[in-house]
Amino acid sequence: MNPLLANRDERGITLLVLGFASLLFVGIIANLVFELVQARDHVITQKTTSARVLVKVLEEQAVDSVFAVDLAMQTTIKAVQMVPRGPADSKRLINELLDSSIDNLPFIRAIWLLDADGKMIHDSQKLPGSYNLSDRAYFRLHRDHPDHGMHIEGPIISKLGVPFISFSRRINRPDGSFGGVIVAALEPKYLRRFYESIKVGRDGMVALVRTDGVLMLRMPIANLVEGKRLTFLPDFRASPSPPEAGSYTADSSIDHIRRRYFYQRVSGRPLVVVVALGEEELLADWYSMARAYIAVSLAFLAALAGLSYLALRELHKRYGLNQALHNSDDALRAAQQLALIGSWRLDLVSRSGQWSQQMYRLLGLPAADQPPPLNVFLQQIHPDDRHLVESAVRHGMNWSGELRSNPALGPQRYFHSRSTGVHDAAGNVTALMGTLQDVTERRQSDEKLDLAARVFACTRDGIVVTDAASTIVAVNPAFERITQYSEADVLGRNIRMLRSNLHDSDFYRQLWETIARDGHWRGEIWTRRKNGEVFPEWLTVSAVSSPEHGTAGYVGVFTDLSDITEANEQLQFMVNHDPLTRLPNRSLLNDRLGQAIEAAHQGQRVIAVLLLNIDRLQRVNDSIGHDAGDLLLREMAQRLLLRLHPGDTLARIGSDEFVLVFTHMDDNDDINAAAQQMLDTVAAPCQLLGHEVVVTASVGIALFPLDGVTASDLIKNADTALSHVKNSGRNSFRYFTSEMNTRALHWMALEHRLRNALGRAEFSLFYQPQVRLDDKQVCGAEALIRWRSAELGIISPAEFIPLAEDSGLIVEIGEWVIRTACAQNKAWQDAGLRALPVAVNVSAHQITAGTLPAIVTSALLHSGMEARYLSIELTESVLMQEAELAMAQIAELRGLGVAVALDDFGTGYSSLSCLSRFALDKLKIDQSFVRNITDDAKSAAIAKATIALALGLGITVVAEGVETREQLDYLDAAGCDEVQGYIFSRPVAAEEFVALLVADGVPAD
């Protein structure tokens, strides 16, 4: 038997000590289990609350972003529907609208409009080329489902290979039919940057998912699965559907990490925001704390066992009982003081020490019987923090602070270190003892809280937080900026102080009932600023609540809509008004004219529509500048406005065209007086940039109901009358007549058939011979175009040539004439006929195009004809309109060997100037002089002078329109070189021209 237990008293004390030790053991274990369970529940509750708040913030951010996009698209659709299709600046207005929407939505990469066939008709990026997106799913969805609202799809890879998330809406025509689709492309990187800024730990995840389970965006990035349906998410389309917000635990099919998922459905949208925390990271703090508690508990148990053993061994030494109890109390207090993670002790004299096992694990060093020297410990610490440890050791002082790990040895970690001195009996510090705790996770949590605080402070949306009684407890700087209230003005006051009194009590009652029922309310509301001004805002109010504590308060996030409202008003004005003169445009004119027609119809009154054109405005632009032209238009607009009566309308519908609508005219005399007054008003001198300018106007008039019963008919018929005014000399006015309409319809039909005449081979060339007077032999021919329409028969050149000039078709027709004449002349030469030059007339449009030498070169090359057998005829007006351009092309043609003739000489205003400036080969006297050459002395004198002048310059003279023997003899006697006219032959077809040459005795080569 152990002699320590021989004594009954000692045995009783031993049992007492063992019993006490057992009770302590059980108490420590029970306390350990209780604390660990409580701590685990606390950690889970804290993380869950943080995750739910984060998901809620992300959901509100998603709702606001999607709403902003939807609002921009709906605004754009309404604006596009209001933009008239007629004005030339409609495309610019739409582009400005798209640019404005892009500027207001920085997270949107592009906005484009698709027509009903899927063609991209407007694009904010202005991409080159054309695109057809009718194969896109969103296009087919909106086309086939008229009632479908905004559609969200993505990620989508564009035809240029760029990923984006699309937001789209259907565009309806005024009759409700499908008119196209508007699409906004959201940059995924915008959300990625935002989601990436949210720290959810190493195994955490933030994602945006559609309700059908398709992953749209994920951080960390998982490109291979974005756009695919995930199986481990709840089926939000199931019936009954999962709750709007919730959580669950599952293994990810992407990286096989088990996580706790927290989700929140985006209100009113087919989207779900998901935040996931790795299950291991979720309890990381608890695991660290559990290890600390277990370590401390083991330390307690070890200390308890040691003390019990010492007490039993030294029990017989009654002398040391009190001292042993005192030492046990000191050890217990020291163990409680060291109840952290890692503990250490350093003897300042011997420089030896002790480390707990956790110290080795914290620093990543292998465990050893003796701790490493101080310099090894310092190597594990950041170089900038080592002086803190060295100073504490050097002075033996108490110290507490934060240390960083050495970044060169691995990922940066943060430690909280604490040391205290151990004194000897003399009070001297002989050792240091302390703890080292890894606070990396706590620091990351603090950074997340700091990030949330900065988001609260920096967001441009106003945020107000209240308690459950609606008392304001916090506002952000944006709130102060928007409402003009400082934080001190509103803290502690009820949110009702911001009411505008524009909403009744029922509105607010329904608002709070919705919050109580759904947990949130969202809508437009009017609020009052500090200065009393009321303004519209888009407000989202969410209740902050939990199942345990109910509603703790409310969070309101609002956006000031004042700028958007003002922009909409400006856009409405731009859509309906001319930006230069601020007058109504065609769209507003049609609306007002329609209203006037309806009123006049009921009152049996007459409406006069005057279409006024500023004559030759281009001359002002060319001579003084376009700025002067703009000033002139604004001046004319102001003058005309002063002449209007109440109820009348003045609008600008074109660059130089105004429309006046008079609704109070009694008879034609009033209309005549008003029209003449408008002409006089325009003709008054005007000062423009230091120049006095006088312009005139032409006016076409149409009357309701005589000339039309709709706005479009009246404007069209007034335009027809205006065209007749211009053709008859301008600076006058004319009423519309039915004959004008018939003539206009004829010209439209003629132009339509003219555009198809080349393709239908309805043109042909006739040839009129040119005769040399000295031997009366054919010396050339002039090619003249003829048109035989399949529907209209033979059309006079005097009728279709001006039409070709006006429509621009003359360039294409003129090229056909040159090529055909060259080919025909070469064919005659190949058939054995004597080579003769053929003359072709050239239009001013062909000179302006600048391609005449290239066309001639190509025609000669393809036909194989020599250049000397081609002559180009131009009129004086052609040369004077484009003098420099004509001079360069004439020089190039003559360099090729092509002859150049001046046609219709004497009918222009610069005949002598033409002869001196241009190098010419032939000069053709106009038939108007030849016709009267034997009867009119003036015509004869002009012809003689022209012939003498040409002979003096070495230019061949050709007289046109010679029809009588007397004219021929006169020209021969005057010294004319060549003639052409009916006296020899009318213009004939190519086959007849060959017969004419043979009959005339022109021998073959």
Side-chain angles (χ1 to χ4, degrees):
M1 176 180 260
N2 193 324
L4 294 175
L5 301 177
N7 188 282
R8 179 175 296 177
D9 292 338
E10 289 181 355
R11 187 165 48 249
I13 294 175
T14 299
L15 294 176
L16 180 61
V17 170
L18 291 175
F20 178 75
S22 299
L23 289 176
L24 286 178
F25 180 87
V26 173
I28 291 172
I29 296 300
N31 180 69
L32 175 63
V33 172
F34 176 78
E35 290 293 332
L36 290 180
V37 171
Q38 287 291 100
R40 185 179 186 278
D41 292 340
H42 177 73
V43 168
I44 292 176
T45 300
Q46 185 182 40
K47 296 287 186 178
T48 299
T49 301
S50 299
R52 286 175 176 166
V53 171
L54 183 58
V55 167
K56 187 65 178 177
V57 171
L58 291 177
E59 185 266 344
E60 292 177 355
Q61 183 269 344
V63 168
D64 292 341
S65 298
V66 173
F67 170 77
V69 174
D70 194 21
L71 181 62
M73 290 196 297
Q74 293 189 49
T75 301
T76 302
I77 291 173
K78 292 180 181 179
V80 169
Q81 291 174 341
M82 289 187 288
V83 172
R85 300 185 181 277
D89 56 353
S90 63
K91 182 175 182 180
R92 176 181 60 79
L93 291 175
I94 295 176
N95 288 334
E96 289 178 356
L97 176 65
L98 296 181
D99 293 341
S100 175
S101 298
I102 290 294
D103 292 340
N104 292 330
L105 301 172
F107 51 87
I108 293 300
R109 178 172 62 84
I111 298 178
W112 57 83
L113 299 177
L114 308 180
D115 62 15
D117 296 325
K119 295 180 181 178
M120 183 182 294
I121 57 175
H122 294 286
D123 171 32
S124 65
Q125 291 184 311
K126 302 175 182 61
L127 297 175
S130 60
Y131 298 90
N132 190 300
L133 304 181
S134 60
D135 58 336
R136 295 295 192 183
Y138 57 75
F139 180 85
R140 298 194 301 269
L141 177 66
H142 289 300
R143 181 190 62 196
D144 301 333
H145 298 83
D147 296 329
H148 193 82
M150 186 179 73
H151 178 66
I152 303 175
E153 185 177 352
I156 299 175
I157 303 300
S158 72
K159 292 185 180 295
L160 299 179
V162 179
F164 67 94
I165 297 175
S166 71
F167 298 81
S168 59
R169 267 192 174 275
R170 174 188 173 104
I171 301 176
N172 287 328
R173 296 191 179 102
D175 61 356
S177 63
F178 177 65
V181 176
I182 182 172
V183 184
L186 182 143
E187 291 274 15
K189 64 182 181 182
Y190 164 78
L191 291 179
R192 291 192 192 282
R193 286 197 302 266
F194 182 75
Y195 285 1
E196 190 176 15
S197 66
I198 299 172
K199 305 299 182 181
V200 290
R202 183 185 68 254
D203 295 334
M205 181 272 292
V206 181
L208 183 65
V209 184
R210 290 212 308 253
T211 52
D212 59 359
V214 173
L215 178 64
M216 301 185 70
L217 194 68
R218 182 183 187 271
M219 288 301 298
I221 298 173
N223 291 328
L224 296 180
V225 297
E226 288 186 355
K228 297 182 179 179
R229 184 172 286 104
L230 303 180
T231 58
F232 61 91
L233 294 175
D235 187 0
F236 295 98
R237 300 179 302 175
S239 180
S241 61
E244 294 293 321
S247 63
Y248 63 95
T249 302
D251 293 327
S252 171
S253 61
I254 299 174
D255 51 16
H256 307 292
I257 296 176
R258 188 167 184 81
R259 294 185 176 92
R260 181 74 172 177
Y261 293 87
F262 302 86
Y263 67 88
Q264 173 74 49
R265 295 190 64 172
V266 178
S267 177
R269 307 295 178 185
L271 301 174
V272 180
V273 177
V274 180
V275 172
L277 301 176
E279 193 169 66
E280 291 185 3
E281 288 184 320
L282 182 66
L283 297 175
D285 291 343
W286 181 78
Y287 287 138
S288 299
M289 188 164 42
R291 286 191 292 268
Y293 271 95
I294 292 173
V296 171
S297 298
L298 291 176
F300 268 104
L301 293 176
L304 179 61
L307 290 175
S308 300
Y309 174 75
L310 292 175
L312 293 174
R313 192 182 66 176
E314 298 295 330
L315 187 60
H316 66 287
K317 298 180 180 179
R318 302 300 183 109
Y319 174 80
L321 180 58
N322 290 332
Q323 187 64 39
L325 291 175
H326 179 73
N327 291 339
S328 178
D329 291 340
D330 289 343
L332 181 60
R333 282 193 297 271
Q336 292 174 342
Q337 187 177 1
L338 297 175
L340 297 172
I341 296 177
S343 62
W344 54 270
R345 179 185 175 91
L346 175 65
D347 191 298
L348 298 179
V349 178
S350 63
R351 295 291 177 173
S352 61
Q354 298 175 355
W355 277 16
S356 68
Q357 292 297 317
Q358 189 63 26
M359 281 290 294
Y360 292 101
R361 287 192 288 270
L362 285 176
L363 298 176
L365 297 175
D369 295 335
Q370 292 294 327
L374 181 62
N375 64 322
V376 175
F377 172 77
L378 293 175
Q379 290 176 2
Q380 310 300 312
I381 303 302
H382 196 288
D384 295 341
D385 296 344
R386 293 172 185 171
H387 70 282
L388 300 174
V389 178
E390 293 172 340
S391 176
V393 173
R394 185 182 309 113
H395 297 95
M397 62 182 183
N398 296 343
W399 181 79
S400 177
E402 190 173 89
L403 300 174
R404 294 168 292 173
S405 66
N406 190 342
L409 301 178
Q412 182 107 53
R413 291 182 296 160
Y414 296 86
F415 303 104
H416 186 272
S417 181
R418 180 179 300 161
S419 67
T420 184
V422 179
H423 299 77
D424 59 12
N428 299 317
V429 178
T430 59
L432 289 176
M433 60 187 306
T435 59
L436 191 70
Q437 182 179 9
D438 189 337
V439 294
T440 304
E441 296 293 335
R442 186 178 68 189
R443 184 181 180 89
Q444 291 176 347
S445 298
D446 292 341
E447 290 176 350
K448 293 177 184 177
L449 293 175
D450 180 64
L451 174 62
R454 281 183 286 142
V455 169
F456 181 81
C458 297
T459 181
R460 294 186 60 81
D461 289 338
I463 301 176
V464 56
V465 182
T466 72
D467 60 15
S470 299
T471 301
I472 299 175
V473 297
V475 296
N476 70 338
F479 173 93
E480 298 177 297
R481 173 177 52 81
I482 296 173
T483 66
Q484 301 174 359
Y485 283 105
S486 66
E487 184 178 40
D489 292 335
V490 298
L491 289 183
R493 301 180 64 181
N494 194 280
I495 195 68
R496 287 191 296 271
M497 66 176 291
L498 300 176
R499 289 185 178 180
S500 64
N501 296 328
L502 297 182
H503 304 287
D504 55 22
S505 58
D506 289 340
F507 172 83
Y508 290 104
R509 179 180 53 79
Q510 294 176 5
L511 183 152
W512 287 109
E513 287 178 353
T514 301
I515 296 174
R517 181 183 67 252
D518 302 333
H520 64 276
W521 179 89
R522 183 178 292 107
E524 184 175 331
I525 190 171
W526 287 80
T527 303
R528 187 179 301 278
R529 304 188 203 272
K530 185 176 182 179
N531 61 4
E533 175 190 357
V534 295
F535 66 98
E537 66 178 31
W538 184 260
L539 174 64
T540 299
V541 181
S542 300
V544 179
S545 60
S546 64
E548 298 83 5
H549 304 96
T551 300
Y554 304 94
V555 176
V557 181
F558 62 90
T559 301
D560 189 351
L561 300 180
S562 301
D563 292 340
I564 297 177
T565 302
E566 181 180 355
N568 286 336
E569 293 174 354
Q570 294 177 354
L571 178 61
Q572 185 70 21
F573 183 85
M574 291 173 61
V575 168
N576 292 302
H577 291 79
D578 170 47
L580 177 63
T581 62
R582 315 293 284 180
L583 294 176
N585 60 11
R586 186 181 296 271
S587 174
L588 186 55
L589 170 66
N590 288 333
D591 181 67
R592 290 187 180 179
L593 184 53
Q595 295 178 17
I597 289 173
E598 183 177 353
H601 181 74
Q602 295 175 355
Q604 300 295 314
R605 290 186 289 105
V606 174
I607 296 176
V609 176
L610 281 68
L611 182 57
L612 183 147
N613 178 264
I614 305 297
D615 295 333
R616 297 182 177 90
L617 175 64
Q618 188 61 38
R619 288 188 179 179
V620 176
N621 292 332
D622 294 341
S623 58
I624 309 178
H626 286 273
D627 290 342
D630 292 344
L631 289 175
L632 176 64
L633 290 171
R634 283 196 287 265
E635 174 67 19
M636 293 302 113
Q638 293 302 315
R639 290 182 182 182
L640 295 173
L641 276 175
L642 295 176
R643 301 296 183 182
L644 297 185
H645 295 90
D648 296 339
T649 296
L650 173 64
R652 180 178 177 230
I653 64 172
S655 60
D656 54 1
E657 290 185 336
F658 297 85
V659 173
L660 299 101
V661 179
F662 294 124
T663 59
H664 301 285
M665 294 294 172
D666 296 329
D667 51 34
N668 282 7
D669 291 339
D670 291 343
I671 299 174
N672 293 341
Q676 187 59 50
Q677 186 182 53
M678 296 304 164
L679 293 177
D680 296 339
T681 298
V682 173
C686 181
Q687 295 293 328
L688 301 176
L689 302 179
H691 300 270
E692 182 176 87
V693 177
V694 177
V695 296
T696 60
S698 302
V699 178
I701 305 173
L703 304 179
F704 169 87
L706 180 63
D707 301 326
V709 295
T710 66
S712 59
D713 287 343
L714 290 172
I715 295 174
K716 180 192 69 174
N717 293 336
D719 191 21
T720 301
L722 176 63
S723 298
H724 282 262
V725 177
K726 292 181 179 179
N727 293 333
S728 61
R730 303 177 186 267
N731 193 23
S732 181
F733 64 87
R734 181 168 296 183
Y735 286 86
F736 171 79
T737 64
S738 59
E739 290 78 9
M740 291 181 184
N741 188 51
T742 302
R743 182 63 177 167
L745 293 175
H746 172 72
W747 278 93
M748 288 179 60
L750 198 63
E751 180 180 351
H752 173 72
R753 290 171 174 81
L754 182 61
R755 292 186 179 276
N756 300 318
L758 269 180
R760 299 169 65 175
E762 294 180 349
F763 289 125
S764 61
L765 290 185
F766 278 44
Y767 299 88
Q768 186 174 34
Q770 296 173 336
V771 178
R772 192 168 45 246
L773 287 180
D774 58 357
D775 58 4
K776 302 300 186 292
Q777 292 289 317
V778 175
C779 60
E782 180 178 3
L784 301 169
I785 189 170
R786 296 293 184 265
W787 178 22
R788 181 184 294 273
S789 171
E791 296 87 359
L792 304 177
I794 297 176
I795 309 298
S796 169
E799 190 171 6
F800 75 80
I801 292 297
L803 182 59
E805 294 273 1
D806 291 340
S807 63
L809 294 172
I810 194 67
V811 175
E812 185 179 358
I813 295 174
E815 180 178 352
W816 177 87
V817 171
I818 293 173
R819 294 184 181 277
T820 303
C822 290
Q824 182 62 70
N825 198 5
K826 178 61 176 173
W828 288 335
Q829 296 175 17
D830 293 342
L833 295 176
R834 181 165 58 88
L836 298 174
V838 61
V840 175
N841 291 283
V842 173
S843 164
H845 288 277
Q846 293 173 269
I847 294 295
T848 304
T851 59
L852 182 59
I855 293 174
V856 170
T857 301
S858 175
L860 293 174
L861 179 64
H862 284 82
S863 65
M865 188 182 76
E866 296 181 34
R868 61 195 177 100
Y869 296 117
L870 177 64
S871 176
I872 297 297
E873 295 188 359
L874 307 98
T875 64
E876 288 179 283
S877 59
V878 171
L879 298 181
M880 298 314 299
Q881 287 176 10
E882 298 288 347
E884 298 300 327
L885 189 59
M887 186 181 298
Q889 295 183 73
I890 288 174
E892 189 172 351
L893 289 171
R894 298 188 82 244
L896 295 173
V898 176
V900 179
L902 179 61
D903 197 9
D904 299 336
F905 182 76
T907 59
Y909 51 84
S910 300
S911 301
L912 297 180
S913 174
C914 289
L915 295 178
S916 63
R917 295 181 60 190
F918 297 96
L920 302 172
D921 298 289
K922 287 187 178 183
L923 186 149
K924 302 184 73 173
I925 302 176
D926 187 69
Q927 60 181 342
S928 62
F929 299 113
V930 175
R931 183 180 303 112
N932 303 317
I933 199 170
T934 59
D935 302 324
D936 183 23
K938 292 182 180 180
S939 297
I942 292 174
K944 282 186 177 180
T946 301
I947 294 172
L949 178 63
L951 292 176
L953 295 174
I955 300 175
T956 301
V957 181
V958 181
E960 295 182 297
V962 179
E963 299 180 355
T964 67
R965 187 70 188 181
E966 290 79 7
Q967 295 170 349
L968 180 64
D969 292 341
Y970 185 91
L971 291 169
D972 192 7
C976 183
D977 297 307
E978 300 172 4
V979 296
Q980 71 180 81
Y982 285 2
I983 190 171
F984 291 106
S985 173
R986 293 175 176 271
V988 295
E991 298 81 5
E992 296 180 51
F993 186 77
V994 172
L996 185 150
L997 292 180
V998 173
D1000 192 55
V1002 177
D1005 289 344

